[in-house]
Amino acid sequence: MTTRFDLDTALTRVDDTTFEGRIARAWWVFRGPNGGYLAAMLLRALVEATADGERAPRSLTVHYLEAPAEGPVRVTTAVERRGRSLSTVTARMTQDGRLVAIAIGALSKAWPAPAYNDAVMPDVPPPERCTEAVRPGEVPPIFTQIETRWAIGTRPAFTADAAAHVGGWIRLVEPRRLDAVLATAMMDFWLPSMFNRIGLVAGVPTIDLTVHLRAAPPADAHDDDWYLVTFSSRLSAEGFAEEDGELWSRDGRLLAQSRQLALVLAARA
């Protein structure tokens, strides 16, 4: 079954380097489409442009120049270098002749190298014991497409009295197996961690987002599995705040990491 996420991130190939898609309002936040949603669409283009199923996405960085409107977009790609094992690919998203986002990605086969794993999944209650983080109708349209269960930090109170460290369990409303495209989107699907730290804001549009894809989901993963996300921020200064994120499988596997810089728009009285 094709999910709403797949339909709304789908691309049609125009030629060897160009794709067309459509921005859907279902993934809207306060001032335009969610950055993770756009990143997922751009990653699709980079994977298609690489045309090598053995090279998995490892890194994606997106710079957001302007929020696109609902409607058609065009994505133009270029394979900047194709090595024996690693490809570096870029993409430019335009709408009505305006450049709205630029992306660069690295796709690679696995490399033989010494391995270690010091990452420890946060100790949180399972999703079945957590309450809803947000309710449709109280928040932007994107939250009609995802399910959330609050597990880390205090709920958003929009008062400057709590640490900027939040997280919980997340999945799509429509069951869908996790892959690199959905994992990328999930790194920007949660409420911003700085909401409780700096109080009420008008919005925190993303300036740039980097996602590192670290592992594939467990082989026995199901379409309706929950995944744990955690986000934190340590500094808001001169109108900008950073946020670091992690995505975990239920069995404790670190699947993705992220870092983004966001513009903090103060609410007007």
Side-chain angles (χ1 to χ4, degrees), residues 171-218:
R171 65 183 180 184
L172 291 180
V173 170
E174 296 179 281
R176 182 194 187 278
R177 185 70 57 89
L178 188 78
D179 59 8
V181 174
L182 180 54
T184 295
M186 283 184 172
M187 300 314 298
D188 195 42
F189 273 4
W190 201 260
L191 292 170
S193 61
M194 64 281 296
F195 274 7
N196 273 13
R197 185 65 180 85
I198 61 179
L200 182 63
V201 295
V204 282
T206 304
I207 302 299
D208 67 71
L209 170 67
T210 294
V211 177
H212 293 156
L213 297 149
R214 306 310 311 274

Side-chain angles (χ1 to χ4, degrees), residues 87-137:
S87 296
T88 302
V89 194
T90 57
R92 298 165 67 87
M93 179 181 285
T94 59
Q95 186 177 67
D96 297 328
R98 305 186 323 275
L99 184 62
V100 297
I102 301 174
I104 182 168
L107 297 92
S108 176
K109 303 175 182 179
W111 290 68
Y116 61 90
N117 186 357
D118 297 329
V120 178
M121 181 178 173
D123 184 13
V124 299
E128 295 79 12
R129 290 171 47 198
C130 298
T131 58
E132 292 183 35
V134 294
R135 297 178 179 86

